[in-house]
Amino acid sequence: DLTGADLYDVDLTGANLTSADLYGAYLRGADLSGADLRCADLTGADLSDADLTDANLTDADLTDANLTGAIL
């Protein structure tokens, strides 16, 4: 459970985060390129300036997530 976790600028390249609970997590500037975020709960997460290049967001919940400046 990573609810509300502070993961600022962390390198999660290629990480398996399938069905992860990242509700309200702080992922600003994080490198999530190639990460598997299928079915992840990213509700209210701060993904501003995050790198989501080639990340799998199939069925991920991005309700109210901040994607300002994110690389998709």
Side-chain angles (χ1 to χ4, degrees), residues 2 7 10-20 22 27 30-40 42 47 50-60 62 71-72:
L2 295 168
L7 299 170
V10 70
D11 184 355
L12 293 169
T13 304
N16 182 354
L17 296 167
T18 303
S19 299
L22 291 158
L27 290 152
D31 187 348
L32 292 157
S33 56
D36 189 349
L37 291 158
R38 286 175 295 152
C39 301
L42 292 157
L47 292 158
D51 185 352
L52 294 159
T53 304
D54 295 325
N56 187 344
L57 293 163
T58 303
D59 294 324
L62 292 162
I71 302 166
L72 298 170

